[in-house]
């Protein structure tokens, strides 16, 4: 853990540890050891940038609806495991002996390193040994960064899918547009994963959207006209972008999601889904996500 800014460990009402990171300007991040999941990201003015449902269930083994759940080793139902894999509903530990990262990932940042290793139960359902190291950091400018390093400590190769399933807090879904996905192919999960090509200059929302955009550029922007702010999503090692909003009908079918809450959220995920990531024995993969927010007048 680094103390460029503040790092504090607290407990939630179920006794699960959470790490609070603060920078010198007063911006903050809160990450739960349950799922290694970022639950809150606030500006120096105290504005919450991530959406969490008012009906979210914070009691294991349920996944928490909001923040940034980590989908590993499977995304969605594309495999034999539970929806989005098991990393998001396991207890992680603080890793005080994490192998070093480049100085740019540490200097001037408040950060915590977390570690997940498979339990015997996990190995029964997914028989591949791994070490999953996650660094969560908050920079002096308030940017949030997530760096995942997944190492194969098996004697056999395997592959996995991955996503940072980021729930952005927005003013109103009808006021939002996403840029950076023009002309790209996408798999439409509402049409049996059929492949289409994005025709519009920007993606806007009038109904349910559940898509995996393929071979994206490493920067995507989410413009919120009403709040006069733009989220910038930068990614490395993650070729795909997931865009999801459940809209009205689906919202009513989810017990941990309010009927009208689809208006206040949009998921835009850095991900590796279409082509699972192969790892040979001893090999390590790194996937990075950096989120920033730009205010416009």
């Amino acid at each position: 853990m680094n103390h460029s800014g503040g790092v504090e460990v607290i407990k939630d009402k179920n006794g699960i540890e959470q790490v609070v990171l603060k920078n010198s300007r007063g911006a903050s991040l809160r990450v739960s050891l349950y799922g290694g999941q970022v639950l809150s990201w606030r500006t120096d003015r105290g504005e919450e940038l991530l959406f969490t449902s008012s009906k979210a269930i914070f009691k294991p083994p349920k996944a928490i609806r909001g923040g940034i759940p980590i989908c590993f080793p499977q995304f969605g139902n594309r495999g034999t495991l539970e929806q989005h894999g098991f990393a998001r509903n396991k207890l992680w530990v603080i890793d005080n002996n994490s192998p070093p990262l480049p100085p740019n990932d540490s200097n001037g940042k408040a950060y915590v390193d977390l570690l997940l290793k498979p339990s015997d139960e996990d190995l029964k359902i997914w028989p591949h040994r791994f070490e999953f190291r996650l660094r969560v950091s908050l920079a002096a400018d308030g940017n949030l960064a997530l760096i995942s390093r997944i190492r194969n400590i098996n004697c056999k190769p395997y592959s996995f899918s991955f996503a940072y399933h980021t729930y952005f807090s927005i003013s109103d879904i009808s006021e939002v547009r996403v840029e950076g996905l023009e002309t790209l192919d996408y798999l439409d999960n509402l049409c049996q994963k059929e492949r289409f090509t994005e025709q519009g200059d920007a993606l806007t929302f009038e109904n349910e959207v559940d898509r995996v955009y393929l071979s994206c550029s490493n920067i995507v922007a989410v413009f919120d006209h009403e709040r006069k702010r733009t989220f910038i999503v930068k990614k490395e090692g993650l070729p795909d972008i997931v865009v999801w909003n459940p809209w009205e009908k689906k919202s009513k079918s989810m017990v941990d999601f309010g009927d009208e809450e689809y208006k206040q959220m949009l998921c835009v995920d850095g991900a590796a889904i279409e082509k699972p990531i192969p790892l040979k024995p001893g090999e390590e993969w790194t996937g990075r996500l950096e989120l920033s927010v730009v205010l416009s007048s």
Side-chain angles (χ1 to χ4, degrees), residues 9 18 49 88 94-95 109 126 134 142-143 167 169 206 217 222 231 235 255 265 269 278 293:
V9 180
Q18 298 185 349
L49 300 171
R88 64 182 184 151
I94 294 171
D95 183 9
K109 296 184 176 178
W126 199 66
L134 173 68
N143 290 6
Y167 286 77
S169 174
E206 293 163 1
S217 77
V222 181
F231 292 108
K235 60 187 182 60
V255 292
M265 58 70 66
D269 313 358
V293 65

Side-chain angles (χ1 to χ4, degrees), residues 7-290:
V7 181
E8 183 188 6
V9 180
I10 59 173
K11 286 193 174 177
D12 71 9
K13 60 176 189 258
N14 292 310
I16 294 167
E17 289 186 335
Q18 298 185 349
V19 180
V20 180
L21 306 177
K22 288 186 176 160
N23 72 7
S24 56
R25 295 182 187 174
S28 68
L29 259 187
R30 186 161 47 86
V31 56
S32 175
L33 267 53
Y34 180 60
Q37 185 163 333
V38 175
L39 297 176
S40 172
W41 173 35
R42 289 180 182 269
T43 66
D44 49 17
R45 294 182 298 189
E47 282 178 285
E48 179 57 64
L49 300 171
L50 298 176
F51 167 87
T52 301
S53 172
S54 61
K55 294 190 169 182
I57 299 161
F58 287 90
K59 206 156 191 183
K62 190 77 181 145
I64 301 166
R65 174 77 64 192
I68 311 178
I70 288 172
C71 305
F72 168 86
Q74 175 184 302
F75 181 80
N77 56 5
R78 295 162 180 265
T80 57
L81 301 176
E82 62 195 283
Q83 171 91 353
H84 292 326
F86 50 70
R88 64 182 184 151
N89 49 22
K90 298 292 174 193
L91 274 173
W92 295 54
V93 294
I94 294 171
D95 183 9
N96 291 318
N97 298 304
S98 186
L101 280 159
N104 287 353
D105 295 318
S106 312
N107 293 348
K109 296 184 176 178
Y111 65 80
V112 64
D113 289 310
L114 303 180
L115 174 64
L116 179 69
K117 291 182 180 179
S119 66
D120 291 344
E121 290 302 305
D122 299 335
L123 290 167
K124 283 177 190 166
I125 58 166
W126 199 66
H128 307 298
R129 291 190 180 275
F130 62 87
E131 288 177 346
F132 187 152
R133 288 187 158 84
L134 173 68
R135 171 163 299 183
V136 183
S137 70
L138 181 67
D141 56 10
N143 290 6
L144 179 166
L146 295 170
I147 304 171
S148 289
R149 293 179 286 171
I150 298 170
R151 181 177 290 279
N152 178 351
I153 55 170
N154 241 10
C155 51
K156 290 182 182 162
Y158 56 79
S159 58
F160 60 89
S161 334
F162 184 92
Y164 292 115
H165 194 29
T166 309
Y167 286 77
F168 288 109
S169 174
I170 56 172
S171 58
D172 188 309
I173 189 66
S174 62
E175 295 285 330
V176 165
R177 74 180 199 274
V178 180
E179 289 191 2
L181 304 173
E182 305 80 42
T183 73
L184 293 179
D185 283 4
Y186 64 87
L187 307 177
D188 194 332
N189 291 327
L190 304 178
C191 300
Q192 284 80 47
K193 305 181 176 63
E194 197 179 331
R195 195 176 184 121
F196 296 94
T197 301
E198 182 55 57
Q199 303 295 339
D201 290 338
L203 184 61
T204 55
F205 300 88
E206 293 163 1
N207 42 39
E208 184 181 355
V209 172
D210 188 353
R211 297 174 182 171
V212 181
Y213 285 84
L214 308 174
S215 305
C216 304
S217 77
N218 282 335
I219 300 183
V220 174
V222 181
F223 293 86
D224 188 334
H225 303 287
E226 203 170 297
R227 285 205 180 132
K228 294 187 168 58
R229 73 182 181 203
T230 301
F231 292 108
I232 308 292
V233 179
K234 286 186 190 171
K235 60 187 182 60
E236 275 177 48
L238 299 160
D240 306 327
I241 287 273
V242 176
V243 181
W244 180 65
N245 182 288
W247 218 255
E248 198 168 3
K249 189 176 170 195
K250 181 103 161 265
S251 297
K252 288 180 174 161
S253 72
M254 296 191 288
V255 292
D256 59 349
F257 195 86
D259 290 358
E260 299 288 316
E261 285 186 328
Y262 70 91
K263 295 174 182 172
Q264 271 76 58
M265 58 70 66
L266 178 65
C267 284
V268 179
D269 313 358
I273 296 166
E274 187 201 21
K275 296 176 181 139
I277 295 155
L279 269 191
K280 294 180 188 133
E283 223 175 15
E284 184 174 79
W285 167 84
T286 302
R288 297 165 180 262
L289 183 75
E290 186 183 350

